[in-house]
Amino acid sequence: MLEALAQINGILQKKIVFVIPGIEHQRLENLRNIYPHIIFHKKLNHSDILELLVRSKVYISATKSDGTALSLLEAMVYGAYPVVSDIATNICWIKDCINGRLFKNKYEFIENVSYAMNLPDMDFEKIRRINYALVDCKCNYSKQMKKIEEFLFK
């Protein structure tokens, strides 16, 4: 997907940050040389990731398989517009074209990131509110424990 980013109009004027845990040092240096306009990190403290999410307009995740990514939920709470791979765990959170975008291939990726970058502020704010409410509803510990108690003590 890194190659695809270069095909998006105006992307090189944006600050792009990738966090790639577990990458070998030499591979990381190669990526930094190939894509000097992108900031790559091997590791960040959780508080640094949250700070990046707060300042981000778009959150991108291109995983091919995964459980629900905590970073996706955090991005939704902090207001970053999700553009994520079309896998089962992401579909549980993102309804394509409603509260984010799903992609299956490079072309959809390019289209969806371009869309997110050009989203009008009014629509962006509406989606931020939807995503915050969705995560609050589905992840609120007290609310979920209340449902479990109601189920168990019927």
Side-chain angles (χ1 to χ4, degrees):
M1 293 300 159
L2 287 170
E3 304 86 30
L5 283 173
Q7 297 177 33
I8 299 171
N9 287 334
I11 197 75
L12 297 181
Q13 289 76 35
K14 305 293 180 187
K15 182 176 181 181
I16 303 168
V17 178
F18 276 83
V19 180
I20 310 172
I23 190 171
E24 296 174 4
H25 179 74
Q26 188 56 49
R27 176 76 177 128
L28 183 65
E29 290 306 313
N30 289 346
L31 287 173
R32 288 177 174 154
N33 290 330
I34 295 168
Y35 304 101
H37 56 283
I38 298 175
I39 300 166
F40 292 96
H41 295 282
K42 184 174 185 174
K43 184 178 180 181
L44 282 177
N45 293 327
H46 187 247
S47 60
D48 293 334
I49 291 173
L50 293 179
E51 187 177 315
L52 280 172
L53 289 172
V54 167
R55 295 185 314 210
S56 298
K57 182 172 183 176
V58 179
Y59 167 83
I60 299 170
S61 176
T63 57
K64 294 180 181 177
S65 65
D66 201 356
T68 298
L70 179 58
S71 58
L72 170 60
L73 303 180
E74 291 169 335
M76 292 171 72
V77 165
Y78 288 113
Y81 185 89
V83 176
V84 296
S85 50
D86 189 353
I87 60 174
T89 54
N90 290 339
I91 294 168
C92 292
W93 292 97
I94 304 301
K95 301 303 174 217
D96 198 26
C97 302
I98 303 294
N99 68 325
R101 292 286 178 121
L102 300 168
F103 64 89
K104 294 179 185 162
N105 56 51
K106 173 181 159 180
Y107 306 103
E108 289 180 4
F109 173 78
I110 292 168
E111 178 184 328
N112 291 339
V113 172
S114 296
Y115 174 85
M117 287 177 41
N118 295 301
L119 191 65
D121 287 342
M122 189 170 82
D123 294 340
F124 188 71
E125 287 305 317
K126 178 182 167 187
I127 293 163
R128 280 182 179 209
R129 286 191 302 275
I130 290 169
N131 283 341
Y132 183 89
L134 178 64
V135 174
D136 183 52
C137 178
K138 291 174 82 172
C139 294
N140 184 295
Y141 180 81
S142 297
K143 290 178 186 176
Q144 295 307 315
M145 288 307 294
K146 179 96 172 135
K147 288 180 185 178
I148 291 169
E149 287 173 10
E150 289 170 0
F151 175 78
L152 290 175
F153 299 113
K154 274 189 172 179

